[in-house]
Amino acid sequence: MTAKEFTLGQLATRLGATLKGDSELLITGLATLQDAGAGQLSFLANAQYRKYLANTQAAAVLLTEADAEGFPGNALIVANPYLAYAELSHAFDRKPQGVVGVHPSALVAADASIDPTASIGAYAVIESGAQIAAGVTISAHCFVGARSVIGEGGWLAPRVTLYHDVRIGRNVVIQSGAVIGGEGFGFANEKGVWQKIAQIGGVLIGDNVEIGANTTVDRGALSDTVLGNGVKLDNQIMIAHNVQVGDNTAMAGCVGISGSTKIGKNCMIAGGVGMVGHIEVCDGVFVTGMTMVTRSITEPGSYSSGTAMQPANEWRKSAARIRQLDDMAKRLQQLEKQLAAVTSNGKASSDA
Amino acid sequence: MTAKEFTLGQLATRLGATLKGDSELLITGLATLQDAGAGQLSFLANAQYRKYLANTQAAAVLLTEADAEGFPGNALIVANPYLAYAELSHAFDRKPQGVVGVHPSALVAADASIDPTASIGAYAVIESGAQIAAGVTISAHCFVGARSVIGEGGWLAPRVTLYHDVRIGRNVVIQSGAVIGGEGFGFANEKGVWQKIAQIGGVLIGDNVEIGANTTVDRGALSDTVLGNGVKLDNQIMIAHNVQVGDNTAMAGCVGISGSTKIGKNCMIAGGVGMVGHIEVCDGVFVTGMTMVTRSITEPGSYSSGTAMQPANEWRKSAARIRQLDDMAKRLQQLEKQLAAVTSNGKASSDA
Amino acid sequence: MTAKEFTLGQLATRLGATLKGDSELLITGLATLQDAGAGQLSFLANAQYRKYLANTQAAAVLLTEADAEGFPGNALIVANPYLAYAELSHAFDRKPQGVVGVHPSALVAADASIDPTASIGAYAVIESGAQIAAGVTISAHCFVGARSVIGEGGWLAPRVTLYHDVRIGRNVVIQSGAVIGGEGFGFANEKGVWQKIAQIGGVLIGDNVEIGANTTVDRGALSDTVLGNGVKLDNQIMIAHNVQVGDNTAMAGCVGISGSTKIGKNCMIAGGVGMVGHIEVCDGVFVTGMTMVTRSITEPGSYSSGTAMQPANEWRKSAARIRQLDDMAKRLQQLEKQLAAVTSNGKASSDA
């Protein structure tokens, strides 16, 4: 693949930006204000980086009108430099495109339906009744189970597993190693022995969803596990059977959501959070990293658990004291009573 | 695959249940009392759902004799409706069955032994000396390493890796992305540089074990890592080298067990729990979610750690206070001494 | 593969050890002092196992000169028995070696460069412009993306994914299921909807790095994600985009490092630790298991967070009390004031 390059004028047109400076300047990449060098376009999206603007070596910078005033270099003036950067990032992406058509080594079931504009990679296996829509890329080593459906414009990295009966909307991106539709953890305990419960639901995934590397989304036990439109899941996340995630909710890496929990729309779940099963989290909730969510959340806002990091020798004392807390609380209460008695005695005696 | 359907009479026979109602009624699926509609069989397994029984649209319901009394609809009367549901779930499972025989694209070493009733899927690779028993399914893209053994009736989802010298019992289910027998984290530190220790043990897995998607079970350093009979591991679990897990112990998602730890039988380890290495946990222990287990457990029972979730602004105060706890405890003790002095002074003076 | 066996004399030569006993003794394996039997070599590396030395059934033992004194059996005397064991472990490793050359089923792009001494396994896919150096093993089902580079002596287990533009140094080991170069979690929020930011950086990995099973290392957003020389990552670890990890830092399983965090050299990060993004951890830091690292660490030493495990009924009390801590702290302060008043009053009155 040849390097990606554009003139500053071309990028201005693409963004609908106001160009200040040399429209013929060749831009070959993107970088931060601190790192940018010749040929690189940068952006100022956060006030705390404004200090780097004066000395940046960037060939040009994406700026708001206010920040562009007094900036002597080349600039593309836009309302939101971060969104403009997000958009241009795709122009400079060297991610290889899948070749349209079915690779000769791919195994596609006779009754699977593959749109002619889709790309099916090497050693991919597409099972009976699967449907792959227009513009979809199925990379090498992917497995698409029976009757699974992938909507227009989807992109599966190499080595993604979809079990049977997984239905995916449009423009969904799934990173390598993700497993969608695995059999959830359903067992009935019979005198100490676990009897398996077949997981006969599927998975239903909306449009514009992204699923990270090695993330697992289990199929439903009876009805479907559901990810709404615009849901973004980072790597190494575990979504158990019959979880429902509302539109545009984002989860960072290593989150675990237990079975049948229902999460609202526009939530942000930070890395390492765990949620127990069968609870509900309302719309607009932010849960900070590594929080243990053991009950439903009914009010939007930020929630946390855990303790702050300390040097280990101090932490050992804190941890020991936490185990004494109930005792401490009772002693505190006792002291309050005693002191009240002393004080009233004192008063009584001074009154006397 | 055609839809699965049975008459209510057929299902009664299968379960040995008492049929109340229309034995010719066609049952095409399973659903909860709230969700069930025409043709669907439901079940009442938990008293808190009894309120849904009166108005369920289910075609028939699995009930205990007591719950069936007064229920006007079709019913299958069984001793344990949840176990009956567990059993019937398999009848309605649309999971595709592997085709018996070796797929033409599978690569099987000349000296590997494959039972003629086993199913070896597309692009599977079976290495030298491996043994695959009767009725085993190895799905597409699986890798079975040298000398590894899979007992009768096992089922490997697409894309499972078994390294060499992994021995697996009967009726073991392994979900997609699981890695069994990877090289554990063994390094000797030589003046700051880590020298690798070859992991020359294997993995020994009992009968009726289930291993979830993207779970990893490392091979032993010297002797084997061991999972007992009936062990159930959910997704994204990490079992380090030389861990031993007792029969019928179940672990929910995202659990991490460090090297050489030994867990007893019939334990339940909830999601996100972490255990340090070289400890022992006795039989019959329940560890709640996200608990940090840093010492051996010698008594059956329930164990926990962590703090309860709070709104973030309140949590910040708690977290700050925890760091002051040792100081608080000392001040509390000081107060007790002072108050005792005051009280005795007071007494003295009032005595005086 | 035939069993590995060596005479004690051969092993002494290999280690440069002083042999005490029978140089013709045949050694067929390694085991701990407690487990070792006929033909097995053991080692004493930790004083707490010295009690097992007297009764070990080991054919021979790796010992320091001091420990060898008075030991009546066969011994190899070395300066550091643990390092000697680490070295010999490789001699007894039955891990199959890759066959040199490209497997007929592997798909190698015409412009990829494969050293003739490399081994490319079954169904591996090597994309355009990739470079595979001398002595590298790429096992079955691996995917090596466009322009990715693997230095001399590297070993990839079956089913490893490298995306495009991943550059790996010499002698790097990557376990099954690992995903290197996945697209990091980069989204710009536009009125509640997440807009994807293309991840146009790569991954740069030094020499002698080990990456565990199902670990994910995301590519950089703009510049590279970087793992230094000698870094060791266990299983199920999540390294987000633009993280930098210093030389010889080791991380145990299930660690999650958020974006752009920079970790120093010779750190040890225990299992389940989580770090927020955009912080710096200096050289020589040890973080204990499951610690939540929410701020930079500027001093070497040990750091911890979390609470100690308790029986669940006691834990419930502690957890409830933690939520009252701010209130308790204020009441404690109040008591101190009141008691000071009482005491001074008391003094006053006793003075009076």
PDB file of all heavy atoms in Angstrom, chain A residues 89-90 95 123 141 175-176 210 236 307 310 312 315 326 336, chain C residues 105 123 161 163 183 196 198 214 218 237 302 304 306 321 331:
ATOM      1  N   SER A  89      -8.597  10.907  10.745  1.00  0.00           N
ATOM      2  CA  SER A  89      -7.801   9.722  11.098  1.00  0.00           C
ATOM      3  C   SER A  89      -8.045   8.589  10.108  1.00  0.00           C
ATOM      4  O   SER A  89      -7.125   7.845   9.757  1.00  0.00           O
ATOM      5  CB  SER A  89      -8.119   9.261  12.532  1.00  0.00           C
ATOM      6  OG  SER A  89      -9.452   8.771  12.630  1.00  0.00           O
ATOM      7  N   HIS A  90      -9.270   8.499   9.609  1.00  0.00           N
ATOM      8  CA  HIS A  90      -9.584   7.403   8.678  1.00  0.00           C
ATOM      9  C   HIS A  90      -8.881   7.580   7.334  1.00  0.00           C
ATOM     10  O   HIS A  90      -8.568   6.613   6.659  1.00  0.00           O
ATOM     11  CB  HIS A  90     -11.100   7.300   8.499  1.00  0.00           C
ATOM     12  CG  HIS A  90     -11.789   6.971   9.788  1.00  0.00           C
ATOM     13  ND1 HIS A  90     -11.889   5.675  10.252  1.00  0.00           N
ATOM     14  CD2 HIS A  90     -12.342   7.753  10.735  1.00  0.00           C
ATOM     15  CE1 HIS A  90     -12.506   5.693  11.440  1.00  0.00           C
ATOM     16  NE2 HIS A  90     -12.785   6.936  11.754  1.00  0.00           N
ATOM     17  N   LYS A  95      -4.765   0.512   7.499  1.00  0.00           N
ATOM     18  CA  LYS A  95      -5.397  -0.808   7.666  1.00  0.00           C
ATOM     19  C   LYS A  95      -5.740  -1.371   6.289  1.00  0.00           C
ATOM     20  O   LYS A  95      -6.425  -0.732   5.507  1.00  0.00           O
ATOM     21  CB  LYS A  95      -6.665  -0.655   8.510  1.00  0.00           C
ATOM     22  CG  LYS A  95      -7.426  -1.942   8.725  1.00  0.00           C
ATOM     23  CD  LYS A  95      -8.373  -1.847   9.917  1.00  0.00           C
ATOM     24  CE  LYS A  95      -9.720  -1.234   9.561  1.00  0.00           C
ATOM     25  NZ  LYS A  95     -10.719  -1.453  10.637  1.00  0.00           N
ATOM     26  N   TYR A 123      -9.407 -19.002   4.611  1.00  0.00           N
ATOM     27  CA  TYR A 123      -9.737 -20.004   5.640  1.00  0.00           C
ATOM     28  C   TYR A 123     -10.940 -19.623   6.506  1.00  0.00           C
ATOM     29  O   TYR A 123     -11.149 -20.211   7.571  1.00  0.00           O
ATOM     30  CB  TYR A 123      -8.515 -20.315   6.528  1.00  0.00           C
ATOM     31  CG  TYR A 123      -7.390 -20.903   5.716  1.00  0.00           C
ATOM     32  CD1 TYR A 123      -6.101 -20.386   5.772  1.00  0.00           C
ATOM     33  CD2 TYR A 123      -7.628 -21.975   4.869  1.00  0.00           C
ATOM     34  CE1 TYR A 123      -5.078 -20.923   5.003  1.00  0.00           C
ATOM     35  CE2 TYR A 123      -6.606 -22.516   4.089  1.00  0.00           C
ATOM     36  CZ  TYR A 123      -5.344 -21.984   4.164  1.00  0.00           C
ATOM     37  OH  TYR A 123      -4.351 -22.513   3.405  1.00  0.00           O
ATOM     38  N   HIS A 141      -9.642 -16.647   8.834  1.00  0.00           N
ATOM     39  CA  HIS A 141      -9.821 -17.484  10.029  1.00  0.00           C
ATOM     40  C   HIS A 141     -11.088 -17.172  10.827  1.00  0.00           C
ATOM     41  O   HIS A 141     -11.205 -17.614  11.974  1.00  0.00           O
ATOM     42  CB  HIS A 141      -8.623 -17.360  10.997  1.00  0.00           C
ATOM     43  CG  HIS A 141      -7.311 -17.826  10.425  1.00  0.00           C
ATOM     44  ND1 HIS A 141      -6.148 -17.141  10.614  1.00  0.00           N
ATOM     45  CD2 HIS A 141      -6.967 -18.907   9.701  1.00  0.00           C
ATOM     46  CE1 HIS A 141      -5.139 -17.767  10.022  1.00  0.00           C
ATOM     47  NE2 HIS A 141      -5.610 -18.858   9.456  1.00  0.00           N
ATOM     48  N   GLN A 175     -13.213  -6.940  16.750  1.00  0.00           N
ATOM     49  CA  GLN A 175     -11.762  -7.159  16.742  1.00  0.00           C
ATOM     50  C   GLN A 175     -11.420  -8.648  16.923  1.00  0.00           C
ATOM     51  O   GLN A 175     -12.243  -9.461  17.344  1.00  0.00           O
ATOM     52  CB  GLN A 175     -11.100  -6.331  17.850  1.00  0.00           C
ATOM     53  CG  GLN A 175     -11.379  -4.827  17.755  1.00  0.00           C
ATOM     54  CD  GLN A 175     -10.721  -4.144  16.577  1.00  0.00           C
ATOM     55  OE1 GLN A 175      -9.713  -4.630  16.060  1.00  0.00           O
ATOM     56  NE2 GLN A 175     -11.284  -3.034  16.135  1.00  0.00           N
ATOM     57  N   SER A 176     -10.173  -8.943  16.661  1.00  0.00           N
ATOM     58  CA  SER A 176      -9.687 -10.332  16.656  1.00  0.00           C
ATOM     59  C   SER A 176      -9.868 -11.022  18.009  1.00  0.00           C
ATOM     60  O   SER A 176      -9.686 -10.424  19.064  1.00  0.00           O
ATOM     61  CB  SER A 176      -8.197 -10.324  16.300  1.00  0.00           C
ATOM     62  OG  SER A 176      -7.716 -11.642  16.180  1.00  0.00           O
ATOM     63  N   GLU A 210     -19.126  -1.564  18.267  1.00  0.00           N
ATOM     64  CA  GLU A 210     -17.739  -2.042  18.175  1.00  0.00           C
ATOM     65  C   GLU A 210     -17.455  -2.974  19.340  1.00  0.00           C
ATOM     66  O   GLU A 210     -17.809  -2.694  20.482  1.00  0.00           O
ATOM     67  CB  GLU A 210     -16.754  -0.860  18.181  1.00  0.00           C
ATOM     68  CG  GLU A 210     -15.310  -1.309  18.143  1.00  0.00           C
ATOM     69  CD  GLU A 210     -14.409  -0.551  17.168  1.00  0.00           C
ATOM     70  OE1 GLU A 210     -14.910   0.323  16.426  1.00  0.00           O
ATOM     71  OE2 GLU A 210     -13.195  -0.833  17.154  1.00  0.00           O
ATOM     72  N   GLN A 236     -11.360  -7.642  26.095  1.00  0.00           N
ATOM     73  CA  GLN A 236     -11.351  -8.517  27.278  1.00  0.00           C
ATOM     74  C   GLN A 236     -12.588  -8.312  28.155  1.00  0.00           C
ATOM     75  O   GLN A 236     -12.531  -8.513  29.372  1.00  0.00           O
ATOM     76  CB  GLN A 236     -10.088  -8.256  28.132  1.00  0.00           C
ATOM     77  CG  GLN A 236      -8.795  -8.327  27.355  1.00  0.00           C
ATOM     78  CD  GLN A 236      -8.097  -9.655  27.436  1.00  0.00           C
ATOM     79  OE1 GLN A 236      -8.695 -10.654  27.807  1.00  0.00           O
ATOM     80  NE2 GLN A 236      -6.842  -9.697  27.072  1.00  0.00           N
ATOM     81  N   THR A 307     -10.772   0.976  47.347  1.00  0.00           N
ATOM     82  CA  THR A 307      -9.990   1.829  48.227  1.00  0.00           C
ATOM     83  C   THR A 307      -8.824   2.423  47.450  1.00  0.00           C
ATOM     84  O   THR A 307      -8.405   1.883  46.435  1.00  0.00           O
ATOM     85  CB  THR A 307      -9.442   1.058  49.447  1.00  0.00           C
ATOM     86  OG1 THR A 307      -8.319   0.274  49.052  1.00  0.00           O
ATOM     87  CG2 THR A 307     -10.502   0.150  50.051  1.00  0.00           C
ATOM     88  N   GLN A 310      -2.171   2.857  48.454  1.00  0.00           N
ATOM     89  CA  GLN A 310      -1.229   3.371  49.452  1.00  0.00           C
ATOM     90  C   GLN A 310       0.071   2.582  49.332  1.00  0.00           C
ATOM     91  O   GLN A 310       0.072   1.460  48.824  1.00  0.00           O
ATOM     92  CB  GLN A 310      -1.775   3.135  50.863  1.00  0.00           C
ATOM     93  CG  GLN A 310      -3.048   3.872  51.206  1.00  0.00           C
ATOM     94  CD  GLN A 310      -3.480   3.531  52.624  1.00  0.00           C
ATOM     95  OE1 GLN A 310      -4.171   2.552  52.854  1.00  0.00           O
ATOM     96  NE2 GLN A 310      -3.066   4.344  53.577  1.00  0.00           N
ATOM     97  N   ALA A 312       2.510  -0.093  50.456  1.00  0.00           N
ATOM     98  CA  ALA A 312       2.012  -1.361  50.978  1.00  0.00           C
ATOM     99  C   ALA A 312       2.049  -1.440  52.501  1.00  0.00           C
ATOM    100  O   ALA A 312       1.151  -2.011  53.121  1.00  0.00           O
ATOM    101  CB  ALA A 312       2.805  -2.516  50.356  1.00  0.00           C
ATOM    102  N   TRP A 315      -0.845   0.462  53.711  1.00  0.00           N
ATOM    103  CA  TRP A 315      -2.063  -0.242  53.301  1.00  0.00           C
ATOM    104  C   TRP A 315      -2.356  -1.400  54.255  1.00  0.00           C
ATOM    105  O   TRP A 315      -3.504  -1.629  54.619  1.00  0.00           O
ATOM    106  CB  TRP A 315      -1.922  -0.775  51.873  1.00  0.00           C
ATOM    107  CG  TRP A 315      -3.030  -1.710  51.506  1.00  0.00           C
ATOM    108  CD1 TRP A 315      -4.294  -1.360  51.126  1.00  0.00           C
ATOM    109  CD2 TRP A 315      -2.992  -3.134  51.518  1.00  0.00           C
ATOM    110  NE1 TRP A 315      -5.047  -2.484  50.888  1.00  0.00           N
ATOM    111  CE2 TRP A 315      -4.278  -3.579  51.123  1.00  0.00           C
ATOM    112  CE3 TRP A 315      -2.002  -4.078  51.810  1.00  0.00           C
ATOM    113  CZ2 TRP A 315      -4.595  -4.944  51.017  1.00  0.00           C
ATOM    114  CZ3 TRP A 315      -2.309  -5.423  51.710  1.00  0.00           C
ATOM    115  CH2 TRP A 315      -3.596  -5.839  51.318  1.00  0.00           C
ATOM    116  N   ASP A 326     -16.210  -2.322  62.557  1.00  0.00           N
ATOM    117  CA  ASP A 326     -17.472  -2.467  63.271  1.00  0.00           C
ATOM    118  C   ASP A 326     -17.237  -2.265  64.767  1.00  0.00           C
ATOM    119  O   ASP A 326     -17.994  -1.564  65.437  1.00  0.00           O
ATOM    120  CB  ASP A 326     -18.069  -3.845  62.982  1.00  0.00           C
ATOM    121  CG  ASP A 326     -19.508  -3.919  63.448  1.00  0.00           C
ATOM    122  OD1 ASP A 326     -20.299  -3.038  63.062  1.00  0.00           O
ATOM    123  OD2 ASP A 326     -19.833  -4.851  64.217  1.00  0.00           O
ATOM    124  N   GLU A 336     -19.367   8.290  72.886  1.00  0.00           N
ATOM    125  CA  GLU A 336     -20.310   9.418  72.821  1.00  0.00           C
ATOM    126  C   GLU A 336     -21.283   9.380  74.006  1.00  0.00           C
ATOM    127  O   GLU A 336     -21.585  10.400  74.604  1.00  0.00           O
ATOM    128  CB  GLU A 336     -21.066   9.381  71.488  1.00  0.00           C
ATOM    129  CG  GLU A 336     -20.177   9.806  70.319  1.00  0.00           C
ATOM    130  CD  GLU A 336     -20.804   9.573  68.961  1.00  0.00           C
ATOM    131  OE1 GLU A 336     -21.609   8.621  68.824  1.00  0.00           O
ATOM    132  OE2 GLU A 336     -20.483  10.309  68.022  1.00  0.00           O
TER     133      GLU A 336
ATOM    134  N   SER C 105      -0.087 -25.657   3.274  1.00  0.00           N
ATOM    135  CA  SER C 105      -1.387 -25.003   3.441  1.00  0.00           C
ATOM    136  C   SER C 105      -1.272 -23.552   3.890  1.00  0.00           C
ATOM    137  O   SER C 105      -2.277 -22.842   3.960  1.00  0.00           O
ATOM    138  CB  SER C 105      -2.232 -25.781   4.451  1.00  0.00           C
ATOM    139  OG  SER C 105      -1.653 -25.668   5.738  1.00  0.00           O
ATOM    140  N   TYR C 123      -2.066 -23.600   7.731  1.00  0.00           N
ATOM    141  CA  TYR C 123      -3.136 -22.594   7.661  1.00  0.00           C
ATOM    142  C   TYR C 123      -2.731 -21.230   8.193  1.00  0.00           C
ATOM    143  O   TYR C 123      -3.586 -20.386   8.467  1.00  0.00           O
ATOM    144  CB  TYR C 123      -4.407 -23.095   8.363  1.00  0.00           C
ATOM    145  CG  TYR C 123      -4.956 -24.345   7.730  1.00  0.00           C
ATOM    146  CD1 TYR C 123      -5.255 -25.481   8.470  1.00  0.00           C
ATOM    147  CD2 TYR C 123      -5.144 -24.399   6.352  1.00  0.00           C
ATOM    148  CE1 TYR C 123      -5.733 -26.629   7.867  1.00  0.00           C
ATOM    149  CE2 TYR C 123      -5.616 -25.552   5.741  1.00  0.00           C
ATOM    150  CZ  TYR C 123      -5.908 -26.655   6.506  1.00  0.00           C
ATOM    151  OH  TYR C 123      -6.367 -27.787   5.890  1.00  0.00           O
ATOM    152  N   THR C 161      -2.728 -13.641  16.611  1.00  0.00           N
ATOM    153  CA  THR C 161      -3.008 -12.607  15.611  1.00  0.00           C
ATOM    154  C   THR C 161      -2.065 -11.436  15.786  1.00  0.00           C
ATOM    155  O   THR C 161      -1.998 -10.843  16.866  1.00  0.00           O
ATOM    156  CB  THR C 161      -4.450 -12.062  15.754  1.00  0.00           C
ATOM    157  OG1 THR C 161      -5.382 -13.125  15.573  1.00  0.00           O
ATOM    158  CG2 THR C 161      -4.734 -10.968  14.721  1.00  0.00           C
ATOM    159  N   TYR C 163      -1.872  -7.848  13.931  1.00  0.00           N
ATOM    160  CA  TYR C 163      -2.424  -6.959  12.919  1.00  0.00           C
ATOM    161  C   TYR C 163      -1.267  -6.396  12.077  1.00  0.00           C
ATOM    162  O   TYR C 163      -0.118  -6.796  12.238  1.00  0.00           O
ATOM    163  CB  TYR C 163      -3.186  -5.807  13.576  1.00  0.00           C
ATOM    164  CG  TYR C 163      -4.585  -6.110  14.070  1.00  0.00           C
ATOM    165  CD1 TYR C 163      -4.836  -7.084  15.025  1.00  0.00           C
ATOM    166  CD2 TYR C 163      -5.677  -5.375  13.607  1.00  0.00           C
ATOM    167  CE1 TYR C 163      -6.121  -7.322  15.512  1.00  0.00           C
ATOM    168  CE2 TYR C 163      -6.964  -5.599  14.086  1.00  0.00           C
ATOM    169  CZ  TYR C 163      -7.186  -6.570  15.024  1.00  0.00           C
ATOM    170  OH  TYR C 163      -8.460  -6.785  15.499  1.00  0.00           O
ATOM    171  N   GLU C 183      -7.338  -2.656  17.266  1.00  0.00           N
ATOM    172  CA  GLU C 183      -7.664  -1.232  17.257  1.00  0.00           C
ATOM    173  C   GLU C 183      -8.111  -0.798  18.641  1.00  0.00           C
ATOM    174  O   GLU C 183      -9.095  -1.300  19.174  1.00  0.00           O
ATOM    175  CB  GLU C 183      -8.759  -0.953  16.235  1.00  0.00           C
ATOM    176  CG  GLU C 183      -8.266  -1.210  14.817  1.00  0.00           C
ATOM    177  CD  GLU C 183      -9.365  -1.079  13.785  1.00  0.00           C
ATOM    178  OE1 GLU C 183     -10.557  -1.143  14.140  1.00  0.00           O
ATOM    179  OE2 GLU C 183      -9.008  -0.912  12.602  1.00  0.00           O
ATOM    180  N   LYS C 196     -15.794   6.841  15.706  1.00  0.00           N
ATOM    181  CA  LYS C 196     -14.540   6.091  15.773  1.00  0.00           C
ATOM    182  C   LYS C 196     -13.352   6.918  15.304  1.00  0.00           C
ATOM    183  O   LYS C 196     -13.431   7.633  14.309  1.00  0.00           O
ATOM    184  CB  LYS C 196     -14.650   4.840  14.906  1.00  0.00           C
ATOM    185  CG  LYS C 196     -13.429   3.924  15.007  1.00  0.00           C
ATOM    186  CD  LYS C 196     -13.623   2.649  14.186  1.00  0.00           C
ATOM    187  CE  LYS C 196     -12.379   1.787  14.171  1.00  0.00           C
ATOM    188  NZ  LYS C 196     -12.245   0.965  15.377  1.00  0.00           N
ATOM    189  N   ALA C 198      -9.693   6.333  13.858  1.00  0.00           N
ATOM    190  CA  ALA C 198      -8.824   5.286  13.317  1.00  0.00           C
ATOM    191  C   ALA C 198      -7.529   5.228  14.131  1.00  0.00           C
ATOM    192  O   ALA C 198      -7.001   6.269  14.530  1.00  0.00           O
ATOM    193  CB  ALA C 198      -8.521   5.556  11.847  1.00  0.00           C
ATOM    194  N   ASN C 214      -4.136 -15.281  25.264  1.00  0.00           N
ATOM    195  CA  ASN C 214      -5.308 -14.394  25.236  1.00  0.00           C
ATOM    196  C   ASN C 214      -5.032 -12.994  25.771  1.00  0.00           C
ATOM    197  O   ASN C 214      -5.963 -12.265  26.125  1.00  0.00           O
ATOM    198  CB  ASN C 214      -6.500 -15.029  25.963  1.00  0.00           C
ATOM    199  CG  ASN C 214      -7.172 -16.100  25.116  1.00  0.00           C
ATOM    200  OD1 ASN C 214      -6.849 -16.247  23.943  1.00  0.00           O
ATOM    201  ND2 ASN C 214      -8.088 -16.847  25.690  1.00  0.00           N
ATOM    202  N   ASP C 218      -3.019  -3.416  22.251  1.00  0.00           N
ATOM    203  CA  ASP C 218      -3.585  -2.596  21.177  1.00  0.00           C
ATOM    204  C   ASP C 218      -2.531  -1.768  20.475  1.00  0.00           C
ATOM    205  O   ASP C 218      -1.547  -1.333  21.083  1.00  0.00           O
ATOM    206  CB  ASP C 218      -4.657  -1.656  21.741  1.00  0.00           C
ATOM    207  CG  ASP C 218      -5.987  -2.365  21.939  1.00  0.00           C
ATOM    208  OD1 ASP C 218      -6.177  -3.474  21.395  1.00  0.00           O
ATOM    209  OD2 ASP C 218      -6.840  -1.801  22.649  1.00  0.00           O
ATOM    210  N   ILE C 237      -4.003 -10.372  29.820  1.00  0.00           N
ATOM    211  CA  ILE C 237      -3.654  -8.985  30.130  1.00  0.00           C
ATOM    212  C   ILE C 237      -4.156  -8.073  29.020  1.00  0.00           C
ATOM    213  O   ILE C 237      -4.208  -8.447  27.859  1.00  0.00           O
ATOM    214  CB  ILE C 237      -2.120  -8.861  30.311  1.00  0.00           C
ATOM    215  CG1 ILE C 237      -1.711  -9.533  31.628  1.00  0.00           C
ATOM    216  CG2 ILE C 237      -1.655  -7.415  30.259  1.00  0.00           C
ATOM    217  CD1 ILE C 237      -0.225  -9.605  31.857  1.00  0.00           C
ATOM    218  N   SER C 302       6.634  -0.727  47.169  1.00  0.00           N
ATOM    219  CA  SER C 302       5.448  -1.563  47.029  1.00  0.00           C
ATOM    220  C   SER C 302       4.194  -0.739  47.280  1.00  0.00           C
ATOM    221  O   SER C 302       4.167   0.071  48.208  1.00  0.00           O
ATOM    222  CB  SER C 302       5.489  -2.707  48.045  1.00  0.00           C
ATOM    223  OG  SER C 302       6.568  -3.557  47.772  1.00  0.00           O
ATOM    224  N   SER C 304      -0.341  -0.864  47.259  1.00  0.00           N
ATOM    225  CA  SER C 304      -1.501  -1.749  47.382  1.00  0.00           C
ATOM    226  C   SER C 304      -2.773  -0.941  47.500  1.00  0.00           C
ATOM    227  O   SER C 304      -2.761   0.206  47.936  1.00  0.00           O
ATOM    228  CB  SER C 304      -1.383  -2.596  48.665  1.00  0.00           C
ATOM    229  OG  SER C 304      -0.167  -3.296  48.714  1.00  0.00           O
ATOM    230  N   GLY C 306      -7.328  -2.042  48.175  1.00  0.00           N
ATOM    231  CA  GLY C 306      -8.291  -3.131  48.393  1.00  0.00           C
ATOM    232  C   GLY C 306      -8.434  -3.440  49.865  1.00  0.00           C
ATOM    233  O   GLY C 306      -7.742  -2.881  50.704  1.00  0.00           O
ATOM    234  N   ARG C 321     -19.913  -0.089  57.438  1.00  0.00           N
ATOM    235  CA  ARG C 321     -19.196   0.900  58.243  1.00  0.00           C
ATOM    236  C   ARG C 321     -18.353   1.823  57.375  1.00  0.00           C
ATOM    237  O   ARG C 321     -18.196   3.008  57.687  1.00  0.00           O
ATOM    238  CB  ARG C 321     -18.294   0.203  59.268  1.00  0.00           C
ATOM    239  CG  ARG C 321     -19.021  -0.559  60.355  1.00  0.00           C
ATOM    240  CD  ARG C 321     -19.976   0.299  61.145  1.00  0.00           C
ATOM    241  NE  ARG C 321     -20.523  -0.452  62.285  1.00  0.00           N
ATOM    242  CZ  ARG C 321     -21.501   0.013  63.061  1.00  0.00           C
ATOM    243  NH1 ARG C 321     -22.068   1.182  62.815  1.00  0.00           N
ATOM    244  NH2 ARG C 321     -21.934  -0.726  64.062  1.00  0.00           N
ATOM    245  N   ARG C 331     -17.410  12.601  63.908  1.00  0.00           N
ATOM    246  CA  ARG C 331     -17.830  12.375  65.295  1.00  0.00           C
ATOM    247  C   ARG C 331     -16.607  12.208  66.203  1.00  0.00           C
ATOM    248  O   ARG C 331     -16.598  12.680  67.352  1.00  0.00           O
ATOM    249  CB  ARG C 331     -18.742  11.158  65.385  1.00  0.00           C
ATOM    250  CG  ARG C 331     -20.146  11.438  64.846  1.00  0.00           C
ATOM    251  CD  ARG C 331     -20.884  10.168  64.475  1.00  0.00           C
ATOM    252  NE  ARG C 331     -20.948   9.232  65.581  1.00  0.00           N
ATOM    253  CZ  ARG C 331     -21.170   7.913  65.439  1.00  0.00           C
ATOM    254  NH1 ARG C 331     -21.344   7.392  64.228  1.00  0.00           N
ATOM    255  NH2 ARG C 331     -21.221   7.147  66.481  1.00  0.00           N
TER     256      ARG C 331
END
